[in-house]
Amino acid sequence: MIRIENVRKNYGTFTALDGLTLNAAEGTVLGLLGPNGSGKTTTVKVLTTLLAPDSGDAWVAGHSVSKQPELVRRNLGLSGQYAAVDEKLTAFENLHMVGRLYGMNRRNASARAHELLADFRLTDVAGKRAGAFSGGMRRRLDLAGAVVARPKVVVLDEPTTGLDPRGRLDTWEVVADLVSAGTTVLLTTQYLEEADKLADHIAVINHGSVIAEGSASELKNRAGSERVDITIRNATDLQLASSILAAQTRGSSAPDVEPAALRVSVAAPGGHGVLVRVLAELDARSVPVTEASLRRPTLDDVFLQLTGGSAQPQGHTRKDEVPA
């Protein structure tokens, strides 16, 4: 349903996409992860025909974004980083308007609006102006607008940015319902837990190209086996704790130190044995420990290991890619 092949896009001397290649099967969620400046927003713009690639091509439901943009738009819905709802219109009026813009007659647009209000649990507020909605309700209304025309593909560009936990969970439920109905979803997100929860396949991009892809489990396996996390009481002991963790893992990987959280974490192929030895050594060196755990790698670990931090090029100050 989504195919991107060797797409390149430059803004002057800045390379936003550098031979990007991605695929998503029907009825699946493709999660697109990457730090700011990695190429996520440019990818969305190319796929939604808002930006022409310099070379390469992309297809949505078999239609080329370069040669058949109108057919692409007929098969695609978009929900951007900010909910695109008219605050002066009611929830019903917003969806009815979108249906009319897609060419539906008044009866069909009204029926579709009522259907979506029920599907997205907005029936009770159908007659209320969108300007009075919470962030989660506005997001649900925006998602409903993106599927008025029953598109085969929906692009969600950081759909839960700024939402509270309840709003985020509601959005996840909506996405799961879309996929269960056969819709293919491209999801860009800064929340790794979100990708872990929703995505069937995850692609990590940096500097405009894919640097790793696979299922969440496959990517986690790339980060090694278990990890030891130690939280200590005193900031003055951070360096010592880091040295102890490095020594007990025989320098297999450098410990990650989080000064604000007073936490040190390291990959521990030895698992439980490493944790026991670390705690014994910390006790022997009189380093007070407030929390200790042994856990599987998370997507956060994978992300940091793969990207090494921000992808922002020097002198680039915008939140994401250079705008078209």
Side-chain angles (χ1 to χ4, degrees), residues 34 44 63 69 82 100 123 131 145 149 163 189 207 240 253 257 289 324:
V44 168
H63 305 295
Y82 305 99
R100 295 287 287 156
T123 301
L163 295 186
T189 180
H207 300 295
L240 176 57
S253 63
V257 180
V289 174

Side-chain angles (χ1 to χ4, degrees), residues 61-144:
H63 305 295
S64 164
V65 299
S66 299
K67 300 175 183 177
Q68 302 164 299
E70 290 186 5
L71 291 177
V72 169
R73 291 192 285 270
R74 290 179 188 175
N75 287 276
L76 183 143
L78 170 64
S79 180
Q81 295 180 24
Y82 305 99
V85 298
D86 190 320
E87 296 184 352
K88 295 183 179 180
L89 299 181
T90 66
F92 170 80
E93 289 168 342
N94 266 280
L95 297 181
H96 185 269
M97 177 185 67
V98 173
R100 295 287 287 156
L101 289 173
Y102 270 110
M104 297 180 182
N105 60 36
R106 293 182 183 278
R107 175 182 293 180
N108 289 340
S110 179
R112 182 60 173 155
H114 284 300
E115 178 184 355
L116 289 170
L117 288 168
D119 289 346
F120 286 78
R121 301 194 308 280
L122 293 168
T123 301
D124 291 345
V125 294
K128 294 184 178 180
R129 290 187 178 184
F133 288 2
S134 66
M137 292 168 64
R138 288 166 60 89
R139 174 54 65 189
R140 273 188 279 157
L141 182 59
D142 185 60
L143 287 171

Side-chain angles (χ1 to χ4, degrees), residues 40-60:
K40 299 190 301 299
T41 295
T42 298
T43 300
V44 168
K45 288 181 177 180
V46 168
L47 196 64
T48 55
T49 74
L50 297 174
L51 190 65
D54 294 334
S55 63
D57 205 351
W59 292 261
V60 172

Side-chain angles (χ1 to χ4, degrees), residues 232-242 264 282 285-288:
I232 63 174
R233 184 177 302 164
N234 304 314
T236 53
D237 291 325
L238 267 176
Q239 187 57 49
L240 176 57
S242 178
V264 184
L282 289 169
R285 303 289 289 272
S286 299
V287 177

Side-chain angles (χ1 to χ4, degrees), residues 7-290:
V7 167
R8 299 179 183 276
K9 182 63 186 179
N10 297 317
Y11 299 101
T13 59
F14 173 69
T15 300
L17 297 179
D18 189 12
L20 185 72
T21 297
L22 291 169
N23 293 280
E26 182 177 3
T28 63
V29 177
L30 171 61
L32 195 60
L33 304 181
N36 290 339
S38 61
K40 299 190 301 299
T41 295
T42 298
T43 300
V44 168
K45 288 181 177 180
V46 168
L47 196 64
T48 55
T49 74
L50 297 174
L51 190 65
D54 294 334
S55 63
D57 205 351
W59 292 261
V60 172
H63 305 295
S64 164
V65 299
S66 299
K67 300 175 183 177
Q68 302 164 299
E70 290 186 5
L71 291 177
V72 169
R73 291 192 285 270
R74 290 179 188 175
N75 287 276
L76 183 143
L78 170 64
S79 180
Q81 295 180 24
Y82 305 99
V85 298
D86 190 320
E87 296 184 352
K88 295 183 179 180
L89 299 181
T90 66
F92 170 80
E93 289 168 342
N94 266 280
L95 297 181
H96 185 269
M97 177 185 67
V98 173
R100 295 287 287 156
L101 289 173
Y102 270 110
M104 297 180 182
N105 60 36
R106 293 182 183 278
R107 175 182 293 180
N108 289 340
S110 179
R112 182 60 173 155
H114 284 300
E115 178 184 355
L116 289 170
L117 288 168
D119 289 346
F120 286 78
R121 301 194 308 280
L122 293 168
T123 301
D124 291 345
V125 294
K128 294 184 178 180
R129 290 187 178 184
F133 288 2
S134 66
M137 292 168 64
R138 288 166 60 89
R139 174 54 65 189
R140 273 188 279 157
L141 182 59
D142 185 60
L143 287 171
V147 298
V148 165
R150 296 182 174 87
K152 295 180 179 179
V153 175
V154 173
V155 176
L156 305 179
D157 190 12
E158 300 189 14
T160 60
T161 297
L163 295 186
D164 60 24
R166 179 69 261 170
R168 189 168 298 142
L169 291 173
D170 285 345
T171 302
W172 291 357
E173 186 176 336
V174 166
V175 174
D177 289 343
L178 288 174
V179 175
S180 66
T183 305
T184 303
V185 175
L186 174 68
L187 170 73
T188 77
T189 180
Q190 297 269 11
Y191 299 109
L192 303 187
E193 179 190 6
E194 188 163 86
D196 201 355
K197 175 76 174 178
L198 297 176
D200 300 288
H201 190 81
I202 297 171
V204 183
I205 67 173
N206 204 1
H207 300 295
S209 60
V210 175
I211 58 174
E213 60 181 316
S215 67
S217 294
E218 290 169 343
L219 290 176
K220 289 174 185 177
N221 289 337
R222 289 189 54 161
S225 53
E226 296 152 311
R227 294 186 69 86
V228 166
D229 288 343
I230 301 292
T231 303
I232 63 174
R233 184 177 302 164
N234 304 314
T236 53
D237 291 325
L238 267 176
Q239 187 57 49
L240 176 57
S242 178
S243 299
I244 290 172
L245 263 68
Q248 292 299 332
T249 54
R250 295 173 181 162
S252 58
S253 63
D256 296 321
V257 180
E258 301 175 58
L262 298 181
R263 184 182 300 119
V264 184
S265 175
V266 71
H272 179 262
V274 172
L275 177 60
V276 170
R277 293 195 300 272
V278 165
L279 288 174
E281 181 67 14
L282 289 169
D283 184 58
R285 303 289 289 272
S286 299
V287 177
V289 174
T290 58

